[in-house]
Amino acid sequence: MGIIEDFPTIEDIYANLSSFPERIQNMLSGGREQCLLSRSLVALRTDVNIGIRLSQLRYLPKATV
C-alpha cells in the first residue's frame, strides 16, 4: 500500500512520520510547511466575489474563417 492510501492528508502523514522507513522520514522531514503552502497555492477558492454570476456567463465558440 502507498503512503496516500494509508494516510490521505498531509496532516496524517506528518502526524505518523515516525511510522515510515528512515529514508522516507528523511525526505519528508522539514518539508511540512512547504507542503502546506503548496496545497494552499493550488486550492481553488470558491468564496471570492468576482462581480458576476455563473448563470450570466455563456460560451461563444470562436468563429471560423
Side-chain angles (χ1 to χ4, degrees), residues 3-61:
I3 293 173
I4 301 299
E5 291 172 349
D6 295 335
F7 306 100
T9 68
I10 294 169
E11 291 81 8
D12 290 339
I13 291 171
Y14 280 97
N16 295 287
L17 197 57
S18 62
S19 67
F20 297 115
E22 185 177 346
R23 181 175 138 320
I24 302 295
Q25 288 181 36
N26 290 337
M27 287 192 295
L28 294 174
S29 67
R32 184 174 192 273
E33 293 304 316
Q34 183 66 37
C35 278
L36 295 173
L37 175 62
S38 296
R39 180 176 63 182
S40 70
L41 290 173
V42 299
L44 295 177
R45 301 268 320 259
T46 59
D47 61 341
V48 177
N49 183 0
I50 60 171
I52 192 166
R53 292 186 311 261
L54 184 60
S55 62
Q56 294 173 298
L57 301 176
R58 185 173 29 161
Y59 171 72
L60 298 173

